[in-house]
């Protein structure tokens, strides 16, 4: 079993700003030890010949080339705007800045 004791759990709880009772610290020490042992056993199962995987199914990116297409001029973009000023959309103020 992993050597995680109550003091280790209390230290982690302080770092995470988690308040734990004495009973919770004891219970969590046992649970964390089981988790660490489980991770250790999985790490031992994967040998040098087993490649690391980040996803169970091989993925490939399907990005297209970034090509500039048709762009609007400021006048064209603002042609349907209810209100515009200085080549920008004009919207009602929502903050009162004095």
């Amino acid at each position: 079993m992993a050597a995680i004791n109550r003091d280790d759990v209390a230290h982690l709880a302080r770092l995470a700003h988690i308040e734990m009772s004495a009973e919770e610290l004891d219970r969590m020490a046992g649970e964390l030890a089981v988790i660490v042992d489980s991770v250790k056993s999985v790490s031992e199962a994967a040998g040098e010949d087993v490649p690391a995987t980040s996803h169970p199914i091989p993925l490939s990116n399907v990005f297209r080339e970034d090509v500039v297409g048709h762009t609007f001029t400021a006048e064209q973009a603002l042609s349907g705007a209810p209100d515009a000023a200085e080549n920008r959309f004009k919207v009602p103020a929502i903050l009162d800045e004095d």
Side-chain angles (χ1 to χ4, degrees):
M1 186 167 269
I4 294 184
N5 57 35
R6 186 176 189 270
D7 294 334
D8 294 331
V9 176
H11 177 69
L12 290 172
R14 274 192 304 276
L15 290 175
H17 300 283
I18 298 173
E19 188 174 323
M20 298 180 79
S21 68
E23 179 184 298
E24 290 172 323
L25 290 171
D26 292 334
R27 188 179 69 232
M28 189 60 67
E31 291 177 8
L32 286 175
V34 170
I35 292 170
V36 169
D37 287 339
S38 298
V39 170
K40 190 184 299 182
S41 68
V42 169
S43 297
E44 292 169 357
E48 296 294 324
D49 58 334
V50 178
T53 58
S54 62
H55 199 276
I57 300 170
L59 300 175
S60 61
N61 289 332
V62 291
F63 294 124
R64 61 172 171 76
E65 289 295 319
D66 192 12
V67 179
V68 177
H70 174 72
T71 57
F72 291 111
T73 64
E75 291 80 23
Q76 289 172 325
L78 295 170
S79 65
D83 199 5
E86 299 177 10
N87 283 334
R88 295 188 178 111
F89 291 99
K90 189 172 179 183
V91 296
I94 59 170
L95 300 175
D96 186 24
E97 294 182 16
D98 292 330

